[in-house]
Amino acid sequence: MNILGIETSCDETAAAIWQTTPGGGRILSEKIASQIDIHAKFGGVVPEIASREHLTTLPPLVDATLQDARLDWSAIDAIAVTAGPGLMGALLVGTAWARAAACVHNIPLIPVHHMEGHLLAPGLDNALPPFPFITLLVSGGHTMLVRVDGIGHYTLLGQTIDDAAGECFDKSARLLALPYPGGPAIAKLAENGDATRFSLPRPMLNKDNLNFSFSGLKTAVMYAVRKLEKEGGQSKLDAQTRADMAAAVEAAVCEVLVGKSLRACRNEGIGHLIIAGGVAANRHLRNMLDEQATAKNISVHMPRPEHCTDNAAMIAFAAAQRLAQGFTPPAEWDARPRWPLSELDKF
Ligand code: KG4
Ligand code: ZN
């Protein structure tokens, strides 16, 4: 079975084809058109511009994806499309286009929850660990710890009470005059930084629960930057100082994410951990988690960095997993910009 995945929930237009095989499956082709350069000028995603870009980019991108896989429409058995959560206009472009294509080619259309796509994404590159496992989902809008007892069986163990981890990277980056998106920019700058020069808080790390809070961390960065500016203007914020601050932010965020993930494994008595979502592309986080989890006999599974950030292969893959479990796509559904994972089956 060949499933065409479509993803337009934010600032990446993406299409991919996942082919299911008796033992699993494989990616036949995947394409991503990033809008980052367009939005970077504005310091963040401009929803109206994102929708318009999806509109012009999606049709030729799907053609290119089919061509790359050397398939025509007659070989596509179903379309899987991100139905939410995300930007309403952006979701509407993808879902309306997918609906029309499914209708023209007379094939089923499967609405997919974007976070379920991220959550299962490690399965694109390697077999998923046995159930149950814990997933740390860290993206621009979400920070969640989820217990996964099976495909479609997700229990939220904890989440952020304010900013998401990606949001903390993005906002801190802005304070350091770095371009959008902030996560990769901070990670790059942090390579030459000394994480110990600035002491930043590790919010809620020692609280006996699985929730997160990152807005205080961003505020601490703001005060530290202001203090430096007051002391000596821009000269105090020289390249090394900014690199040290970037390293301190990265260390603080990663320490909290790793600490809480290991706590979740311990609390639930589970020995398999997945990390997914854009922030999971962070090399420092991957190394720290690998080291600390291995020391505790916990196996860590992560998608390749390009499958951590938004992509369409994860959407097609999630649909394939649901279909294999006997999922029947609803006859009627709407794009849902806000869609809690706990309402997975409410369309
Ligand atoms: O999952 P994603 O691509 O989009 C959403 O669904 O939100 O995640 C985007 C987020 C942004 O906040 C971005 O700054 C962050 O992931 N990110 C990173 C890295 N790459 C992307 N954060 C830290 N280090 C990275 N290497
Ligand atoms: Zn995402």
Side-chain angles (χ1 to χ4, degrees):
M1 182 180 199
N2 295 323
I3 302 177
L4 169 69
I6 290 174
E7 156 65 38
T8 66
S9 67
C10 190
D11 58 351
E12 322 273 4
T13 318
I17 299 167
W18 175 261
Q19 182 174 63
T20 59
T21 56
R26 64 192 178 121
I27 297 169
L28 291 188
S29 159
E30 60 178 327
K31 303 252 173 232
I32 299 184
S34 175
Q35 305 176 3
I36 283 175
D37 292 348
I38 298 166
H39 298 289
K41 316 192 243 304
F42 303 98
V45 180
V46 182
E48 179 63 23
I49 295 177
S51 313
R52 285 169 192 271
E53 281 297 316
H54 288 310
L55 199 59
T56 50
T57 308
L58 182 59
L61 195 79
V62 171
D63 285 345
T65 306
L66 286 165
Q67 253 174 35
D68 195 37
R70 297 174 193 277
L71 296 179
D72 61 26
W73 274 102
S74 63
I76 301 297
D77 301 292
I79 301 178
V81 63
T82 303
L87 301 170
M88 185 48 148
L91 290 168
L92 280 177
V93 173
T95 54
W97 195 88
R99 230 184 264 276
C103 184
V104 167
H105 299 288
N106 198 24
I107 50 179
L109 178 62
I110 303 142
V112 175
H113 194 292
H114 181 81
M115 299 315 288
E116 185 178 32
H118 276 305
L119 198 147
L120 300 175
L124 289 170
D125 301 316
N126 291 296
L128 288 169
F131 301 114
F133 54 80
I134 301 287
T135 298
L136 171 70
L137 266 179
V138 267
S139 69
H142 295 83
T143 302
M144 304 191 270
L145 274 163
V146 181
R147 179 189 164 112
V148 180
D149 283 288
I151 301 295
H153 299 284
Y154 312 126
T155 310
L156 184 63
L157 301 174
Q159 63 183 328
T160 182
I161 57 167
D162 42 54
D163 291 355
E167 202 174 347
C168 179
F169 272 119
D170 294 338
K171 288 177 175 171
S172 302
R174 205 174 307 169
L175 292 166
L176 293 173
L178 293 170
Y180 173 85
I186 290 220
K188 189 159 192 317
L189 194 59
E191 282 170 13
N192 303 316
D194 170 8
T196 59
R197 177 168 160 205
F198 295 100
S199 148
L200 295 175
R202 269 68 174 149
M204 293 177 82
L205 178 59
N206 295 319
K207 280 249 163 69
D208 191 20
N209 62 36
L210 296 173
N211 288 331
F212 302 87
S213 164
F214 288 108
S215 79
L217 180 51
K218 163 210 66 195
T219 309
V221 175
M222 186 181 78
Y223 283 128
V225 169
R226 275 200 197 150
K227 188 165 171 267
L228 286 165
E229 282 171 347
K230 248 194 209 150
E231 282 170 2
Q234 282 306 315
S235 63
K236 277 273 180 177
L237 268 176
D238 56 31
Q240 189 57 51
T241 303
R242 288 163 72 243
D244 293 343
M245 188 71 79
V249 172
E250 185 177 57
V253 173
C254 294
E255 233 175 82
V256 173
L257 293 177
V258 170
K260 291 279 176 167
S261 301
L262 298 182
R263 184 189 290 266
C265 289
R266 194 176 64 226
N267 285 7
E268 298 293 311
I270 290 177
H272 303 285
L273 176 64
I274 276 184
I275 57 166
V279 178
N282 185 277
R283 201 174 317 156
H284 186 68
L285 175 64
R286 294 166 81 93
N287 292 341
M288 194 191 258
L289 199 61
D290 213 18
E291 209 171 279
Q292 296 193 20
T294 308
K296 292 193 155 40
N297 266 337
I298 293 168
S299 72
V300 183
H301 307 255
M302 24 203 170
R304 291 206 318 256
E306 55 271 40
H307 288 148
C308 289
T309 44
D310 289 350
N311 66 87
M314 69 181 192
I315 302 303
F317 179 75
Q321 305 312 304
R322 297 290 298 238
L323 290 175
Q325 300 296 306
F327 172 72
T328 314
E332 288 194 13
W333 55 273
D334 289 314
R336 283 190 71 174
R338 286 177 186 275
W339 187 5
L341 199 55
S342 56
E343 293 182 11
L344 194 63
D345 288 317
K346 284 193 197 153
F347 293 93

